Amino acid sequence: MTVTEPEAPGLETDGSEQQSLATTAARNLATTKKSVPQMQGISSRWLLKMLPWVQVSGGTYRVNRRLTYAVGDGRVTVVGTGSEIRVIPAELGELPLFRGFLDEEVLTALADRFERREFQPGEVIVEFGHESNEAFLIAHGKVNKIGPGHYGDETVLGVLAGGDHFGDETLADPNSMWEYTVKAITPGTLLMLPQSAFDELLDRSEALRDQLEAFRSGQPTASNPHGEAAIELASGHTGEPDLPGTFVDYELGPREYELSVAQTVLRVHSRVSDLYNEPMDQVEQQLRLTIEALRERQEHELVNNAEFGLLANADLGHRIHTRTGPPTPDDLDELLAVVWKNPGFFLAHPRTIAAFGRECTRRGLYPESVDIGGNRVPAWRGIPLFPCNKIGVSDTRTSSIMLLRAGEQQQGVVGLHQTGIPDEYQPGLSVRFMGISPKAIVSYLVSAYYSAAILVPDALGVLENVELGREG
């Protein structure tokens, strides 16, 4: 066995005699400089910084809009509220089978019987030669309508997208077969009316049976290019023409946004706050990190929440797809064409911004950055492109890019909160003392109240299924 002799006192590690106090011993008397607690999960949270925040008294914000409809344009309007997608009953008049049919009760019953169905690229939705017993409305996405060509091979008969429909004429003939194949080009959403649901209503409604016999009619309705009820006007300065009377109609069931809440209970033992409170206040540091985590959760919900999150509540007609997969300058220009009235800023995952930068470099383009509060931020066409890690990246490495117009005056996107709440610590955030337990643990209820509202549909556009490329 080998025994190591201890070092002799007063000797350095190299064997020489020590002539001064060693640093290891000196540190026992020194005051160590400490940082405040660090937290890797803190991000830039540009969405919270850039959204104008509206005071919401009573916890509810109602978005009133002009009455919007577009009957007679050949397309079926599908609306989404949170995670729910539904067809406007009167819009069923766009289908040849129901054109001119005015029975609101039956149309509403038909609209309620449509079932939601998601599809993926390459999926065959209906197939040539198979029994046709369903009607389809395309809420979002693109599909190819494929049929036999002139020489017997398959050919694309047309491309259908959001607002288009197919198969409704087959409801009148339960024994018919599909005369074409419908295959998905992009991911999307369908609303499907089964033959059985249609037949059930047919048995109950004499008016619907009469409509089925007629099958042909039309009902043009005046509207402006945005689908809003027309406002009658007259122009000119000669003569004394009769001036038209008019009024601006409103939606009868405007959407209301209720404030959501993120909460947690912060617990600190009184012994810790009493004895270990210098040089930093333990409660203050615990509270600071808790609030940072709540604010991160708040931004995540503003992006992803099914009821009020921006990704889920973007209008179906303002969601577009890339031309080739990766995010190109052409794609961002297309997004700017969707939100063309005073666009405010883009939001994208940092990896998506990197993918866009690669596409710009490939084309020899070098977009300039813009100054935002002293920070240099990448931009396209002068519109800042902010990083947001709350916009997810899928397992197949696809993501989304959002473009927003912000502010009430701009009829844009706004953040919602309520200030002046009891025990307010920051705007819309309260810290409430809950008491001390028998084990001397002090508890604080930390609550953040928030939501977001899209005032008009074209305030938000989303570029979906953006390919980021492979790692490395």
Side-chain angles (χ1 to χ4, degrees):
M1 178 181 295
T2 302
V3 179
T4 303
E5 294 290 338
E7 292 186 3
L11 294 180
E12 295 284 0
T13 56
D14 61 1
S16 61
E17 183 176 355
Q18 180 178 328
Q19 298 182 8
S20 65
L21 181 67
T23 56
T24 53
R27 287 186 60 185
N28 293 328
L29 300 182
T31 299
T32 303
K33 178 66 176 180
K34 306 174 185 65
S35 74
V36 296
Q38 305 298 298
M39 179 176 171
Q40 185 172 330
I42 299 175
S43 69
S44 52
R45 299 199 293 266
W46 281 108
L47 180 59
L48 298 190
K49 295 175 184 176
M50 299 303 295
L51 274 186
W53 290 89
V54 175
Q55 164 71 358
V56 178
S57 301
T60 302
Y61 184 79
R62 178 181 297 162
V63 177
N64 289 306
R65 293 177 178 171
R66 281 185 60 187
L67 181 63
T68 300
Y69 62 90
V71 176
D73 62 355
R75 305 179 70 79
V76 179
T77 301
V78 175
V79 296
T81 303
S83 58
E84 180 187 358
I85 296 178
R86 60 186 177 83
V87 59
I88 297 175
E91 288 285 306
L92 291 175
E94 300 292 355
L95 305 181
L97 180 58
F98 305 119
R99 193 160 294 153
F101 188 59
L102 302 178
D103 191 318
E104 293 185 8
E105 183 178 350
V106 175
L107 289 175
T108 300
L110 280 168
D112 291 342
R113 282 163 170 75
F114 276 86
E115 303 172 3
R116 177 172 176 166
R117 174 177 162 186
E118 308 293 331
F119 59 83
Q120 297 300 322
E123 181 179 341
V124 175
I125 298 169
V126 302
E127 192 166 1
F128 176 84
H130 287 215
E131 183 180 359
S132 59
N133 53 11
E134 298 160 323
F136 293 93
L137 309 177
I138 302 177
H140 173 55
K142 291 183 180 180
V143 301
N144 275 335
K145 189 175 179 181
I146 303 169
H150 184 71
Y151 298 101
D153 55 339
E154 286 190 343
T155 185
V156 175
L157 303 176
V159 177
L160 305 178
D164 288 327
H165 48 85
F166 60 94
D168 47 285
E169 69 282 353
T170 69
L171 295 176
D173 183 6
N175 299 317
S176 60
M177 300 291 177
W178 288 112
E179 298 179 353
Y180 47 81
T181 294
V182 175
K183 189 174 184 179
I185 305 173
T186 69
T189 304
L190 290 167
L191 290 178
M192 182 267 292
L193 177 65
Q195 181 79 51
S196 58
F198 175 74
D199 290 343
E200 178 192 352
L201 276 177
L202 193 63
D203 292 338
R204 293 164 41 190
S205 171
E206 182 178 353
L208 186 57
R209 290 194 295 272
D210 292 340
Q211 176 69 20
L212 187 60
E213 293 299 323
F215 200 88
R216 297 275 189 241
S217 65
Q219 52 172 16
T221 304
S223 64
N224 67 19
H226 306 289
E228 296 172 327
I231 298 178
E232 298 296 335
L233 304 170
S235 60
H237 68 280
T238 60
E240 297 179 350
D242 291 333
L243 296 180
T246 189
F247 65 94
V248 179
D249 206 355
Y250 303 128
E251 288 183 344
L252 296 180
R255 177 157 184 195
E256 294 186 345
Y257 293 85
E258 295 184 355
L259 293 184
S260 182
V261 61
Q263 292 180 307
T264 189
V265 176
L266 173 63
R267 296 185 176 93
V268 181
H269 200 287
S270 60
R271 179 174 61 248
V272 171
S273 59
D274 290 344
L275 302 181
Y276 304 100
N277 227 24
E278 292 291 341
M280 299 177 195
D281 188 306
Q282 290 284 355
V283 174
E284 179 183 333
Q285 294 303 320
Q286 289 277 304
L287 188 57
R288 180 180 68 84
L289 295 180
T290 300
I291 291 174
E292 292 283 2
L294 276 179
R295 292 304 192 193
E296 291 290 327
R297 180 58 178 269
Q298 176 181 352
E299 186 175 66
H300 180 274
E301 293 294 303
L302 290 177
V303 171
N304 298 291
N305 187 281
E307 295 304 317
F308 59 83
L310 300 183
L311 282 178
N313 284 268
D315 187 83
L316 297 172
H318 294 91
R319 303 182 190 186
I320 62 176
H321 296 276
T322 62
R323 298 186 178 196
T324 59
T328 66
D330 294 333
D331 295 321
L332 264 63
D333 281 344
E334 193 71 25
L335 198 52
L336 282 166
V338 172
V339 188
W340 60 274
K341 294 180 289 187
N342 299 315
F345 56 92
F346 295 97
L347 277 178
H349 192 279
R351 292 180 182 174
T352 308
I353 297 176
F356 175 67
R358 289 194 296 270
E359 292 301 314
C360 289
T361 302
R362 184 174 290 116
R363 297 182 179 206
L365 299 174
Y366 302 96
E368 294 184 359
S369 59
V370 295
D371 184 274
I372 304 293
N375 296 289
R376 299 303 299 181
V377 177
W380 178 249
R381 307 289 189 194
I383 308 300
L385 181 56
F386 291 122
C388 178
N389 65 339
K390 312 307 186 302
I391 301 177
V393 175
S394 71
D395 294 338
T396 56
R397 291 187 55 75
T398 60
S399 188
S400 298
I401 299 177
M402 294 194 293
L403 175 60
L404 292 77
R405 179 176 67 249
E408 279 190 309
Q409 294 299 318
Q410 301 289 344
Q411 295 189 110
V413 179
V414 295
L416 307 176
H417 68 180
Q418 184 171 335
T419 58
I421 57 179
D423 301 306
E424 190 170 54
Y425 190 83
Q426 293 178 359
L429 185 146
S430 69
V431 179
R432 187 167 297 176
F433 175 69
M434 295 179 64
I436 304 174
S437 75
K439 294 185 177 181
I441 296 177
V442 185
S443 297
Y444 301 88
L445 176 64
V446 187
S447 306
Y449 297 93
Y450 56 88
S451 188
I454 305 168
L455 300 188
V456 295
D458 69 359
L460 173 64
V462 181
L463 181 65
E464 297 186 319
N465 299 294
V466 176
E467 294 181 1
L468 307 188
R470 290 176 290 185
E471 294 281 6

